[in-house]
Amino acid sequence: MTWTKIYAGAEPQRINKWLAAEGVCSRREAEALIADGKVSIDGARVDDPGRKIEPGQTLRVNQAGRRAPISVVVNKPPGFVSAQPEPGQIPAARLLTQANLWRAGAEAPVAITKHASLAPLGRLDQDSRGMLLLSEDGVLAKALIGEIGRAHV
């Protein structure tokens, strides 16, 4: 997938900040895309993560070959913690096993690995039960719990 847009801001802006504001990816994801050589301005590859885009320039992001961020909805039972666990506590991410995954239709199995950094988007106390969203998608996290998300709740 390729995303292309002409920057129409009045002042130069850092590429990662603009991509995050446009909802393309998070700032850190933008820096990874730049490091992977997937970002160009007016056809020239961007190598500097601090580079600014000028008004009237065209930014292109080639996201082909990148896997989509994982987001998971879990029914958290009592006894699991949604936040960073302290010694002796069990994180809610441990509920994510291949046996617990539900797949609609004939879709390929979801690959949830130990390397996925799934952060809780919300919080339930250890003794509470209920729906908990875990995600590695920075744009989704910002929309739900960031400044914008708080304004709509």
Side-chain angles (χ1 to χ4, degrees), residues 33-94:
L33 287 166
I34 291 168
D36 291 345
K38 307 276 186 179
V39 179
S40 63
I41 293 178
D42 293 337
R45 179 179 158 165
V46 174
D47 292 316
D48 176 16
R51 170 93 184 261
K52 292 185 177 185
I53 187 165
E54 303 282 336
Q57 290 183 316
T58 301
L59 184 80
R60 175 169 288 186
V61 180
N62 181 0
Q63 295 178 318
R66 293 184 62 90
R67 77 168 171 80
I70 297 171
S71 296
V72 181
V73 176
V74 193
N75 182 15
K76 187 194 93 56
F80 291 83
V81 294
S82 58
Q84 186 69 24
E86 293 182 13
Q89 294 180 327
I90 305 168
R94 287 242 185 107

Side-chain angles (χ1 to χ4, degrees), residues 18-38:
W18 186 50
L19 287 172
E22 290 290 315
V24 174
C25 57
S26 69
R27 287 185 186 200
R28 287 198 175 143
E29 291 165 341
E31 290 169 4
L33 287 166
I34 291 168
D36 291 345
K38 307 276 186 179

Side-chain angles (χ1 to χ4, degrees), residues 74-78 124 128-132:
V74 193
N75 182 15
K76 187 194 93 56
L124 290 172
S128 299
R129 73 180 83 227
M131 184 181 88
L132 179 64

Side-chain angles (χ1 to χ4, degrees), residues 5 14-15 36 42 46-47 54 64 71 74 80-81 97 108-109 115 118 120 123 132 134 137 141-142 150:
K5 190 166 183 180
R14 285 180 62 110
I15 294 168
D36 291 345
D42 293 337
V46 174
D47 292 316
E54 303 282 336
S71 296
V74 193
F80 291 83
V81 294
T97 63
H115 306 293
L118 297 169
R123 186 175 173 135
L132 179 64
L134 302 169
D137 186 340
K142 183 177 178 182
R150 279 191 277 253

